[in-house]
Amino acid sequence: MRMLRKTALLSLLFVVSVLSAAITLPRLAASSSTTYTYAFDDDYDYVQTQDAYLPGQTITNLGLDSPSDVVVTNDGTLVIADSGNARVLVFDPVTGQIDLTITLDATDDHPAMLNPTGVFVCRDASAYVDEGDIYVADPAAQRVFRFDAAGILVQSFGKPDAIMYETLAFEPEKVAVDKAGILYVVSKGSSDGIVQLSNTGAFLGFFSSNKVNLTLRQQFQQLIYTQEQLDNLNINLTPPVFTSVFIDDGGIVYSSSSGLRVENIKKHTTQGTNMLAEMYISSAKLVDITVDDAGIMYTADQSGWIDVYTNDGDFVFTFGSYLDAGIAGIFKSLAAIAVDAEGSIWTIDAENSYLQSFVPTEYASTIYRAITLYDETRYDEAVDLWKSVLRLNQMSMLAHNGIAKNYLQLEDYELAAEHFKIAGNRALYSEAFWELRNVWLQANLLPLLGVAFLLGVAALAVRLADRRTKFLAPVRALGARIGERKVLADVLYAKRVATRPADSFYYLKKKLHGSYLGAFLILILTFGCYLLFTAGKGFIFQQTDLEDMDLSSIILGFVAIIGLFVLCSYLVTSIQDGEGTLGEIFKGVAYSMYPFILACLVSTLVSYVATTNELFLLNVIFAVGLAWTLLLVFISISEIQNYTFGQTVKSVLITVLFVVVILLVLAFVQMTIRQLFTFLIEIVKEAVRHVLG
Amino acid sequence: MSLVKKIFVVVVLFLAIAPVAVHAAWVSTGRDTQENPDTLTDIPEQDFDTGGYATLHENARFVYRWQEDRDVLVITDKRNGYTWKTGLDIDPNRTKTEQNSACRDARNDYNDDLIDFATFEDLCEIPVDSLTAIVPTGPLIANSLLYFDYYNKGASDAVYSTYTVYSSYLKLTLYDVTSTLQNIDSDPTRWRFTFETTALGVDRDLTMTIVADLDLTTDGFEIDIVEDLLAGSCLPYLAKIGVAPFMGAVGGVRTIYTAYPKDGLEEGYYEDESNIQADMIGGYAFVPDGSGALIRFRDNTVPLSAFTATVYGDDPSQSYQNYRTALGTYVPFKTASIPVFGVAHGNDQAAFVAYATSGAEYMQVVSMPEENGTFYNYTFAEFKYNYKYNRIYTLDGDNPVPSIGDELNAFDAVLRYDFLAGDGSVDGLPANYVGMALKYKEHLLETGELTPSDAASESIGIRIDFLMADSEDSIVGYQTRVATGVGAVRDILSDIIGGGITNVSSGLIGWQAKGVTLGDPSRAVFSAGIGTKAAFSDLVGDFAEQGVDVSLYQDYYTINEEQISLYRNAAKHPAGWYGRLLSYEEPIDTFYYARPVRSAEWLMRQAKTFLAMGVLSLTVDGMTDRLVTDFTGEGTSRTEAIALYRDAFGTLSADILLNLTKPNAYLFRYADRYLQMDVYTTQYLIETDTVPFLQIVLQGTMELYAIYSNFSFYTTKDVLRMIDYNVWPSFVLTDEPSYLFSDTNSSDYYSTEYELYKETIAAIYADVNAALSPVIGTTWTDRDVLAAGVIRNTYADGTQILVNYTDRTYDYGTGVIAPESFVVLGGD
């Protein structure tokens, strides 16, 4: 749902005209920011938050032509792959000067550098690489070039001498190098994965690859279609390609990919598998990824979105936008991203050919510090920082989650639960609640048991006493008088139906017990309990807020299902020699609802004291209640219509089918009427237009 | 009331309001004001006795000439000897071919000893502008005093295309163009320029006549395109008229010729080099983007988008689609609230400021960066007469028919150019953006649109708004979330006043039943949950006695269906549907635009109730900074809407103070407080500087309040900006945490709880007050950049405020300013 919403947002961006930017809702004017920052709310929808980054420098005077990559060196200079000009620049953003321009002409040993698209700078020296070495991936030259810090060519890596490269193309677009000098190369159009080369250029294998994820429909098609039909469908069975690769100072490899239903961000193990397979990914068409010293991940999306994630893959926030209007901070074609030591993000717009930096605000910096402190188990300090974040943004679910996690570690479960609840984090709220319940039980279980025992003893004593002295006779008489009231008796008869269905339905049919009013009241009670179950469960199990529910649909659905079933059952049974009338069927269905009512009530009550570990309990209670009710409905049909088992089964199946058919017909009729109405309106408007010219 | 000034130095060690996370060295960006441009050392001189220049008029300051062949008005400013032209004045016949031929002839003559080398150089080394290569339109575009766009439909019933016709078109080219300049009533200061075109349209059978009257004034000149004089069968298709696009243009790419002398037996020869970028002179264009932006003349190495702004904001009705989508991904572009632009050449040497005195509501300011087709930086104005849109005939909006407006926008376009010279030591109007602002301010004061205000307090004001209530979805209908009740407003304001801040004005947002989004703008309906009418009246009255102005806020421009019926209330787009604004917000995701007549009507109706409650002022939003053309019935044009609003505010201003949110220039006359003042620009890539142009214009005539400090505007640098731009702080507060509004349309108020901002309010107010209270009641006269990131603002009484944005100490001679700090010097 989140991805759909983001995709819808992104796709709309492409069709919005420039002029629409000037007229918008009276939104609050952000300071010097040109885009909004979004984080998650408690429903995991995007919600605007305090600006995380503000536009910094916009550098348009470097003469860049379709730049495609940027990295930051240890001394804060930027290494830029200026693809269109076949050069690599080393640029100092503080002085505004180009420190070094690297070009390469062809020699006998290597081709010229024609179209550098990827750069990587070694930040630490080792036995195999020197600090400041610049690796450049050039797909046009089909080489990865290694330059030293002065721009002198040291090595050049061409197509590996391996069997599979006899047919495979080697067009390196991005490169990253570890301390052993092993190259990780993203080759253009290669769906086999990230190419791993040794420090001498020998092919080591494919480090990681993407999987093809088909939709359910496509899987079904694969199963039943012939090859010819499949060819006509043009299902893309090629895995999505990698778009970038990055290695942090600890040697962990990160990669980004572009495509739907794929792990667009990967933090690789040494075997190449993804440590963060379950993480939520905010954007689909990633073009680059980078990681800072604290492990915070930054990704760049083709549509101009910059997303930030923690080192555990938790989504922090996103900002940026696409618009072809030449505004700082809004991209026409976001191509690459890098982060410097001060936390400033550097980006490249490939089509407008400029560099844009973003400076973190206090808000963002505080969040990052708080995350780091949590990782370092400095929980008290982290709590203080999260409080600062909350001061700046009281809607920050990230902060509420962060502060709650810290409270959980500090064993302050009440505060943890409070903040998890605000953050909508049911899983961790359940943990905190479990602890609170545990504490409560430990404190109160013994006294509770004691009280229960005493109450039991007291009840026994009262009973014995009553048997001798009958002092409770008036109470019993009162109870009996209340119980004998017709309406109440009719409603309570449902309890008997549940325990002795066969006889009870017979008496219902014969009008010896029960009534239409009673049945109606039971159905109202059923609806009420169902609504309570749907909308009133405890926080852990209540996934949808009351305000987000469509009450009219729920009512309509309930009435439609019950009403249609009763009606269709009557119609079916009346042509199948059934003995029951419409009213009797109605009563039968209504009086079957007792187990369902009970199940809803009990489940709802249990949901307030259960945790996620006890979810099965709720499900079992509800399932048993529902199953029991359905069984009672089955029995009611059998008894009321006087059918055999086989006849009952047949009747029920036909009834269900009948209900489905009626629903389809109603939907069709509704569509047709709407089309007719639309058609008439169009004729009138067309006529008016022609008459008036 | 002006303060009694004494000489003092206030070195304020700036307390960090909140620790700023950025530790990087300060680097200047487009959000700052850069140092002065390079000085023009070589003022070009031209001999106007030859070349077809006729003198039209001469006064104490200017000599006006006309180049008949190219229709260029030439203005020589006697004060500095600088010559301005309404076009580049390029001889279209001086092409590369011609010059090559001239060079060849000169070379031959030189080699034949018929002429000397110096003469050879003079005849050959004449650069040729590359525009002459864009045949035939290049030099003609650059020379034209006027041009117009018109809509042309193809032979089939297809989409309208736009074609452009320039007044300097040579005859016998694409169109048959004739242009004449005639004197009016023998008055040498009044001339009529008539620009006639035939052979327009698909069938080349349409005509157009545009008449522009030139008034040569003591400050410059004025060009008046009178609507009644526009004529021709092509008139219904007229889209835009542009004025002097290349006036003040800088740049250009040339072909350079270099002559070489004989060398022994070697003959003399010449070489040509093409695509040589002309040196950019120092200077910039000023555009009215947000607070004000400068676009310096640069040789951009990459093509960048032009700056375009519609004065008073885009019109949602004069647009292609009947809907707009507020994606909420990027910050809305700043509006051009004043119809002004300007160009400065050199370093406080020569400049002009241009502003519309009529037709501003249909004006657009365009600034083209270099690296576009002509390789010039140029800035100009155009006026919009018609628009394209999709006319809809189906219920679903399918298959719309591309159309143009049935009627032209009716207005006279009057654009005035005033010239500035020197550093301002003579007339107080330096030839830079400060001089432009002061000149425009002078015009507004003369016409009564601005009036100097009497400083009512010795300390600056602070704006404290409250977000009271908004609505969210409920199981049935909506439920109102109240974050601040009347009682809480009272408590918070009392607390703030008790803390020593007394000059407080306050706006209550969401005071009405159902809150800010669903509250009915046409009536004043109160609810006990937020506050009864009596409670509000008591609140207003009690604080009025203490000199605190509490008012009720209302947006009369944007409406929704849940709030009020759209029938006869929502403005219609010419497509036939209501104009809509679609958003991703909840619970209301579709908004409409109120008809201007209704906006004015609701304003008056609610004002009546508020006045009866004893309010001292009204807080108005929406209709103050946005205009919409209404196509309901007879319709209301932008011009009529402005008249309606001026009428309404004019009536109210007699009885009450007006707090207007970002008012456009036509409401300056009535504004007592300017709320949510921009201190940044839209940040186009081509914009090199941000300047407080608007603030300089308005300072001293009304109270100016910045954007809310709650939202990323509270750091040290932001406070320095308030001081630099002379704007006072504002906050929006709630009693309860703002996450109460997370499911409402106010979910973007993400940090508002008073308890969290108590100290910040006091701290920011203290700092800004320390800086700006000394200059209350005095006029802002100058602003200059002492060094990168160090600004000096000078006021009429001699007070100077120095602001240091950098992370380094600055030595100003008699003292130092600490990093990220300010100093107040001087005074009477």
Side-chain angles (χ1 to χ4, degrees):
Chain A
M1 193 60 193
R2 289 169 257 146
M3 281 297 282
L4 279 173
R5 184 185 163 103
K6 184 85 180 275
T7 310
L9 251 176
L10 291 172
S11 54
L12 260 177
L13 273 167
F14 282 95
V15 301
V16 167
S17 69
V18 172
L19 282 177
S20 74
I23 295 280
T24 61
L25 285 160
R27 296 190 82 91
L28 296 165
S31 55
S32 64
S33 182
T34 53
T35 60
Y36 294 112
T37 301
Y38 285 88
F40 276 153
D41 67 6
D42 55 343
D43 290 328
Y44 293 94
D45 284 327
Y46 290 99
V47 68
Q48 191 187 338
T49 182
Q50 197 84 249
D51 292 325
Y53 288 84
L54 299 175
Q57 294 183 67
T58 306
I59 297 161
T60 59
N61 61 348
L62 296 181
L64 299 175
D65 182 3
S66 307
S68 51
D69 202 3
V70 61
V71 291
V72 182
T73 65
N74 282 339
D75 54 9
T77 55
L78 303 172
V79 179
I80 304 162
D82 187 7
S83 312
N85 288 323
R87 62 180 184 169
V88 170
L89 297 180
V90 179
F91 170 71
D92 187 338
V94 175
T95 61
Q97 302 299 319
I98 296 174
D99 290 347
L100 182 65
T101 303
I102 303 174
T103 56
L104 189 70
D105 293 326
T107 68
D108 294 335
D109 297 325
H110 59 78
M113 184 163 68
L114 299 171
N115 181 32
T117 57
V119 285
F120 182 83
V121 172
C122 296
R123 302 191 0 146
D124 294 310
S126 72
Y128 303 96
V129 298
D130 294 320
E131 183 186 336
D133 277 354
I134 301 172
Y135 284 77
V136 180
D138 186 341
Q142 299 182 358
R143 292 283 174 132
V144 173
F145 298 107
R146 174 186 169 193
F147 301 91
D148 64 14
I152 311 293
L153 180 71
V154 173
Q155 255 179 307
S156 136
F157 304 88
K159 190 179 200 174
D161 191 15
I163 295 173
M164 63 175 52
Y165 272 99
E166 286 172 12
T167 50
L168 263 184
F170 181 70
E171 293 173 307
E173 281 192 316
K174 302 286 181 186
V175 64
V177 183
D178 67 16
K179 287 182 186 151
I182 295 176
L183 288 78
Y184 297 79
V185 177
V186 171
S187 182
K188 189 176 179 179
S190 169
S191 52
D192 295 294
I194 298 174
V195 180
Q196 214 176 3
L197 302 178
S198 73
N199 53 25
T200 55
F203 178 66
L204 298 177
F206 292 104
F207 177 66
S208 177
S209 61
N210 284 323
K211 286 184 280 203
V212 179
N213 280 320
L214 301 176
T215 61
L216 206 59
R217 182 179 167 181
Q218 286 171 334
Q219 288 174 28
F220 183 67
Q221 286 167 342
Q222 288 280 107
L223 204 59
I224 62 169
Y225 278 26
T226 63
Q227 189 56 49
E228 198 185 330
Q229 286 171 316
L230 285 172
D231 290 340
N232 285 337
L233 281 175
N234 286 322
I235 297 176
N236 186 10
L237 293 173
T238 313
V241 294
F242 287 96
T243 51
S244 187
V245 62
F246 180 84
I247 296 180
D248 67 11
D249 291 342
I252 299 178
V253 180
Y254 300 79
S255 65
S256 64
S257 307
S258 179
L260 294 174
R261 295 180 300 282
V262 74
E263 294 165 6
N264 297 94
I265 299 171
K266 287 184 178 171
K267 184 174 175 181
H268 296 273
T269 61
T270 47
Q271 286 79 39
T273 55
N274 185 10
M275 291 187 226
L276 303 174
E278 298 301 318
M279 72 180 278
Y280 167 72
I281 296 174
S282 183
S283 304
K285 294 185 181 171
L286 299 183
V287 291
D288 200 8
I289 183 169
T290 191
V291 180
D292 68 14
D293 295 335
I296 305 285
M297 296 185 283
Y298 306 79
T299 62
D301 176 88
Q302 203 176 311
S303 306
W305 295 98
I306 296 169
D307 305 327
V308 182
Y309 304 87
T310 66
N311 49 5
D312 292 327
D314 291 326
F315 175 70
V316 182
F317 35 58
T318 181
F319 66 97
S321 188
Y322 165 85
L323 191 67
D324 182 13
I327 309 287
I330 306 178
F331 299 96
K332 188 175 177 184
S333 170
L334 176 56
I337 189 170
V339 178
D340 67 20
E342 276 110 20
S344 293
I345 293 175
W346 288 90
T347 58
I348 291 252
D349 186 315
E351 288 201 36
N352 280 333
S353 298
Y354 68 93
L355 270 179
Q356 176 70 50
S357 75
F358 295 90
V359 176
T361 59
E362 180 209 352
Y363 173 67
S365 303
T366 308
I367 288 176
Y368 298 150
R369 283 204 305 274
I371 291 168
T372 305
L373 286 172
Y374 178 82
D375 289 338
E376 292 171 1
T377 68
R378 289 155 68 181
Y379 302 122
D380 280 324
E381 293 168 65
V383 165
D384 288 335
L385 284 180
W386 282 121
K387 283 181 180 168
S388 306
V389 174
L390 279 177
R391 187 179 73 80
L392 295 171
N393 180 10
Q394 293 169 293
M395 307 236 188
S396 171
M397 294 309 136
L398 184 75
H400 283 294
N401 258 326
I403 207 172
K405 282 181 194 169
N406 281 287
Y407 279 135
L408 196 65
Q409 297 294 338
L410 292 168
E411 297 183 2
D412 195 336
Y413 300 117
E414 209 162 315
L415 281 171
E418 181 191 326
H419 284 280
F420 279 132
K421 193 167 184 181
I422 296 171
N425 189 336
R426 288 176 168 80
L428 287 175
Y429 175 87
S430 174
E431 272 190 43
F433 181 76
W434 190 94
E435 297 289 347
L436 283 171
R437 189 180 68 181
N438 193 34
V439 165
W440 187 89
L441 282 173
Q442 283 177 355
N444 298 296
L445 187 61
L446 215 52
L448 259 180
L449 284 173
V451 166
F453 175 73
L454 286 172
L455 280 173
V457 165
L460 189 63
V462 163
R463 213 161 144 192
L464 285 172
D466 179 55
R467 204 180 279 174
R468 277 197 197 153
T469 61
K470 311 279 183 219
F471 74 96
L472 286 176
V475 176
R476 277 199 298 278
L478 178 67
R481 274 203 302 280
I482 292 171
E484 282 161 8
R485 293 182 79 89
K486 181 79 169 68
V487 171
L488 198 58
D490 288 341
V491 171
L492 289 174
Y493 190 69
K495 191 174 160 194
R496 191 179 189 281
V497 168
T499 50
R500 277 172 276 184
D503 295 339
S504 304
F505 285 125
Y506 175 79
Y507 292 136
L508 269 176
K509 183 179 171 182
K510 295 298 178 192
K511 296 186 174 54
L512 295 172
H513 289 283
S515 65
Y516 291 111
L517 178 61
F520 184 68
L521 289 171
I522 290 169
L523 279 178
I524 290 180
L525 190 62
T526 307
F527 177 73
C529 292
Y530 174 64
L531 196 61
L532 183 69
F533 175 76
T534 309
K537 293 193 289 292
F539 170 71
I540 295 170
F541 302 98
Q542 187 59 48
Q543 301 290 343
T544 315
D545 292 330
L546 194 62
E547 307 81 59
D548 296 331
M549 290 183 185
D550 186 355
L551 182 65
S552 51
S553 296
I554 295 172
I555 294 173
L556 196 65
F558 184 83
V559 169
I561 287 174
I562 302 286
L564 273 176
F565 182 84
V566 168
L567 180 66
C568 294
S569 180
Y570 171 68
L571 293 172
V572 165
T573 55
S574 59
I575 60 171
Q576 286 188 323
D577 303 323
E579 294 176 5
T581 63
L582 180 63
E584 285 162 8
I585 297 171
F586 170 71
K587 278 195 289 186
V589 167
Y591 275 90
S592 303
M593 292 294 161
Y594 179 76
F596 183 72
I597 292 170
L598 215 58
C600 286
L601 284 172
V602 172
S603 299
T604 306
L605 284 168
V606 169
S607 72
Y608 282 90
V609 296
T611 64
T612 48
N613 294 334
E614 290 111 35
L615 176 63
F616 77 96
L617 190 63
L618 260 79
N619 291 339
V620 161
I621 293 171
F622 188 78
V624 164
L626 184 63
W628 192 350
T629 293
L630 291 174
L631 179 64
L632 289 176
V633 168
F634 184 88
I635 295 172
S636 77
I637 292 171
S638 177
E639 286 299 318
I640 288 169
Q641 308 298 345
N642 200 12
Y643 280 162
T644 63
F645 178 79
Q647 284 174 315
T648 311
V649 169
K650 186 177 159 191
S651 166
V652 166
L653 286 174
I654 296 173
T655 303
V656 169
L657 187 64
F658 200 1
V659 168
V660 169
V661 166
I662 287 182
L663 286 172
L664 284 172
V665 166
L666 282 174
F668 178 71
V669 166
Q670 186 257 353
M671 265 194 313
T672 314
I673 288 176
R674 185 176 155 72
Q675 287 297 324
L676 179 67
F677 184 61
T678 306
F679 174 65
L680 288 172
I681 295 285
E682 283 183 24
I683 286 187
V684 167
K685 283 200 169 177
E686 192 69 28
V688 165
R689 180 198 159 205
H690 280 294
V691 163
L692 296 179
Chain B
M1 181 70 73
S2 13
L3 293 171
V4 174
K5 304 291 195 291
K6 56 180 189 237
I7 297 175
F8 67 91
V9 172
V10 176
V11 176
V12 178
L13 287 173
F14 210 69
L15 302 172
I17 309 303
V20 175
V22 180
H23 305 293
W26 184 86
V27 179
S28 178
T29 68
R31 285 164 290 289
D32 307 302
T33 308
Q34 315 301 328
E35 294 173 272
N36 281 12
D38 295 332
T39 303
L40 268 178
T41 50
D42 191 15
I43 309 270
E45 285 183 15
Q46 191 173 347
D47 177 12
F48 293 107
D49 293 329
T50 59
Y53 296 91
T55 302
L56 302 180
H57 176 62
E58 181 171 348
N59 60 28
R61 283 183 179 172
F62 305 104
V63 181
Y64 300 90
R65 297 184 179 91
W66 181 256
Q67 211 298 330
E68 174 60 44
D69 291 331
R70 301 188 277 278
D71 293 340
V72 175
L73 178 67
V74 179
I75 308 105
T76 303
D77 192 334
K78 293 179 186 174
R79 296 171 294 179
N80 54 14
Y82 201 78
T83 298
W84 294 94
K85 296 181 180 178
T86 57
L88 289 181
D89 198 16
I90 296 175
D91 182 352
N93 296 314
R94 180 154 284 287
T95 62
K96 268 175 69 172
T97 312
E98 287 289 325
Q99 189 56 28
N100 272 330
S101 178
C103 273
R104 270 197 305 274
D105 292 343
R107 179 200 60 196
N108 292 341
D109 287 345
Y110 169 64
N111 286 330
D112 292 341
D113 295 322
L114 295 174
I115 56 175
D116 60 9
F117 181 69
T119 308
F120 174 32
E121 279 183 320
D122 287 342
L123 289 173
C124 183
E125 290 185 348
I126 303 173
V128 173
D129 199 298
S130 66
L131 286 176
T132 58
I134 307 173
V135 178
T137 55
L140 311 176
I141 297 168
N143 289 337
S144 293
L145 178 62
L146 296 176
Y147 70 86
F148 69 88
D149 288 351
Y150 74 97
Y151 294 120
N152 193 18
K153 218 175 192 184
S156 64
D157 199 19
V159 178
Y160 286 93
S161 309
T162 308
Y163 289 78
T164 308
V165 183
Y166 294 87
S167 63
S168 246
Y169 262 2
L170 288 172
K171 300 170 183 40
L172 304 178
T173 55
L174 294 172
Y175 306 102
D176 225 345
V177 171
T178 53
S179 54
T180 56
L181 186 75
Q182 292 167 311
N183 187 241
I184 301 175
D185 298 332
S186 303
D187 181 349
T189 66
R190 298 186 62 222
W191 298 82
R192 174 158 289 179
F193 177 71
T194 307
F195 162 28
E196 290 176 318
T197 320
T198 61
L200 298 170
V202 169
D203 300 324
R204 299 176 62 80
D205 59 350
L206 301 177
T207 65
M208 180 81 84
T209 302
I210 294 177
V211 174
D213 287 345
L214 293 170
D215 275 315
L216 309 177
T217 69
T218 51
D219 288 322
F221 70 94
E222 193 172 273
I223 186 162
D224 182 353
I225 304 169
V226 179
E227 187 221 346
D228 290 341
L229 297 178
L230 296 173
S233 51
C234 190
L235 192 56
Y237 303 100
L238 175 64
K240 283 183 196 172
I241 296 177
V243 180
F246 274 77
M247 181 159 174
V250 171
V253 159
R254 306 207 166 138
T255 301
I256 307 291
Y257 295 87
T258 311
Y260 294 92
K262 298 176 202 175
D263 181 16
L265 293 175
E266 297 283 337
E267 291 195 316
Y269 66 100
Y270 73 92
E271 281 182 349
D272 64 67
E273 271 182 280
S274 296
N275 298 325
I276 305 297
Q277 176 72 53
D279 290 334
M280 293 289 171
I281 62 171
Y284 48 76
F286 160 75
V287 291
D289 183 16
S291 66
L294 304 183
I295 300 172
R296 298 202 178 211
F297 305 131
R298 294 194 298 195
D299 177 12
N300 294 311
T301 56
V302 292
L304 296 171
S305 299
F307 167 87
T308 310
T310 304
V311 174
Y312 306 152
D314 284 334
D315 192 324
S317 289
Q318 294 202 11
S319 63
Y320 205 70
Q321 301 287 12
N322 61 78
Y323 64 88
R324 300 286 178 92
T325 306
L327 291 169
T329 55
Y330 49 81
V331 175
F333 293 1
K334 306 286 187 274
T335 305
S337 60
I338 48 174
V340 183
F341 67 96
V343 172
H345 285 182
N347 179 7
D348 292 356
Q349 292 171 277
F352 71 81
V353 59
Y355 48 92
T357 58
S358 173
E361 61 272 20
Y362 296 107
M363 175 174 159
Q364 283 188 316
V365 176
V366 180
S367 184
M368 296 293 283
E370 190 265 348
E371 289 296 321
N372 54 69
T374 63
F375 299 99
Y376 278 91
N377 296 271
Y378 57 101
T379 305
F380 62 99
E382 50 187 23
F383 293 89
K384 186 176 174 185
Y385 285 83
N386 209 337
Y387 50 91
K388 285 193 281 193
Y389 71 95
N390 268 337
R391 186 173 281 192
I392 296 173
Y393 296 96
T394 63
L395 199 62
D396 292 334
D398 296 334
N399 302 315
V401 176
S403 309
I404 59 172
D406 295 334
E407 290 177 11
L408 297 186
N409 294 323
F411 64 98
D412 293 337
V414 181
L415 195 58
R416 192 160 157 179
Y417 292 77
D418 290 343
F419 293 95
L420 308 168
D423 60 3
S425 50
V426 173
D427 58 3
L429 298 171
N432 56 28
Y433 69 90
V434 177
M436 293 178 202
L438 293 173
K439 186 67 187 169
Y440 181 59
K441 182 174 185 170
E442 197 179 276
H443 162 73
L444 294 178
L445 287 168
E446 278 168 9
T447 53
E449 291 301 316
L450 284 180
T451 314
S453 66
D454 297 323
S457 171
E458 290 192 354
S459 47
I460 65 168
I462 187 168
R463 182 79 186 170
I464 303 286
D465 288 346
F466 291 91
L467 179 56
M468 301 191 82
D470 203 353
S471 294
E472 63 182 23
D473 273 327
S474 181
I475 191 157
V476 178
Y478 301 96
Q479 64 168 341
T480 305
R481 290 287 199 163
V482 180
T484 320
V486 166
V489 171
R490 183 184 288 276
D491 294 339
I492 292 170
L493 279 178
S494 299
D495 197 40
I496 291 172
I497 294 165
I501 303 173
T502 52
N503 188 1
V504 178
S505 66
S506 178
L508 307 181
I509 306 169
W511 52 269
Q512 60 276 66
K514 298 189 198 170
V516 60
T517 307
L518 300 189
D520 189 339
S522 68
R523 304 180 292 158
V525 179
F526 296 87
S527 99
I530 306 167
T532 61
K533 186 175 176 183
F536 276 107
S537 298
D538 290 341
L539 179 78
V540 165
D542 293 345
F543 280 102
E545 284 170 14
Q546 299 178 54
V548 173
D549 181 346
V550 177
S551 56
L552 304 176
Y553 162 103
Q554 186 64 56
D555 175 355
Y556 299 101
Y557 179 79
T558 319
I559 58 175
N560 61 76
E561 268 182 298
E562 302 297 329
Q563 195 181 24
I564 192 168
S565 165
L566 301 178
Y567 179 68
R568 304 301 290 181
N569 289 326
K572 279 201 174 163
H573 187 272
W577 289 22
Y578 293 125
R580 292 168 295 150
L581 181 56
L582 310 176
S583 79
Y584 283 91
E585 295 188 350
E586 291 177 341
I588 307 297
D589 60 7
T590 306
F591 295 85
Y592 302 84
Y593 308 100
R595 297 173 60 201
V597 293
R598 291 286 179 256
S599 297
E601 189 184 301
W602 298 337
L603 169 67
M604 298 305 291
R605 200 186 297 163
Q606 279 201 341
K608 197 171 158 186
T609 307
F610 298 153
L611 278 165
M613 289 166 66
V615 298
L616 300 175
S617 68
L618 301 178
T619 300
V620 184
D621 194 358
M623 63 188 287
T624 49
D625 64 330
R626 276 160 281 177
L627 285 173
V628 63
T629 306
D630 177 27
F631 289 88
T632 308
E634 287 186 5
T636 309
S637 66
R638 279 165 82 87
T639 312
E640 287 162 345
I642 289 175
L644 277 168
Y645 295 163
R646 283 172 66 95
D647 200 39
F649 284 114
T651 306
L652 290 169
S653 67
D655 302 317
I656 205 169
L657 295 175
L658 292 170
N659 312 317
L660 306 184
T661 307
K662 299 165 83 157
N664 286 328
Y666 50 83
L667 293 180
F668 285 168
R669 181 190 283 255
Y670 314 109
D672 297 288
R673 298 190 183 99
Y674 189 122
L675 307 180
Q676 300 298 303
M677 188 154 217
D678 282 322
V679 292
Y680 291 100
T681 66
T682 305
Q683 297 182 59
Y684 280 85
L685 295 175
I686 60 172
E687 290 172 346
T688 54
D689 303 53
T690 302
V691 295
F693 187 97
L694 191 58
Q695 285 80 2
I696 293 173
V697 171
L698 297 178
Q699 185 269 342
T701 65
M702 62 184 78
E703 293 176 9
L704 308 177
Y705 291 91
I707 50 180
Y708 292 134
S709 286
N710 303 59
F711 309 113
S712 304
F713 197 64
Y714 49 81
T715 64
T716 308
K717 285 207 172 74
D718 299 320
V719 176
L720 286 175
R721 200 162 190 100
M722 281 191 241
I723 294 169
D724 183 10
Y725 280 45
N726 204 333
V727 292
W728 299 349
S730 68
F731 289 84
V732 61
L733 302 173
T734 55
D735 185 39
E736 300 288 337
S738 56
Y739 59 69
L740 272 183
F741 290 131
S742 56
D743 293 321
T744 70
N745 283 82
S746 300
S747 59
D748 49 357
Y749 286 81
Y750 39 78
S751 179
T752 52
E753 192 180 352
Y754 171 60
E755 281 306 311
L756 302 177
Y757 281 96
K758 209 165 154 171
E759 288 172 14
T760 307
I761 291 170
I764 290 182
Y765 181 82
D767 289 319
V768 180
N769 190 45
L772 296 182
S773 58
V775 297
I776 293 176
T778 182
T779 306
W780 193 350
T781 55
D782 204 2
R783 181 173 188 268
D784 54 318
V785 180
L786 300 177
V790 183
I791 306 291
R792 177 175 62 192
N793 289 312
T794 307
Y795 293 82
D797 66 348
T799 306
Q800 292 181 330
I801 300 178
L802 277 64
V803 177
N804 180 7
Y805 286 102
T806 73
D807 53 354
R808 299 175 296 277
T809 303
Y810 179 78
D811 184 346
Y812 57 88
T814 53
V816 296
I817 317 175
E820 295 186 3
S821 184
F822 69 92
V823 163
V824 180
L825 302 172
D828 286 336

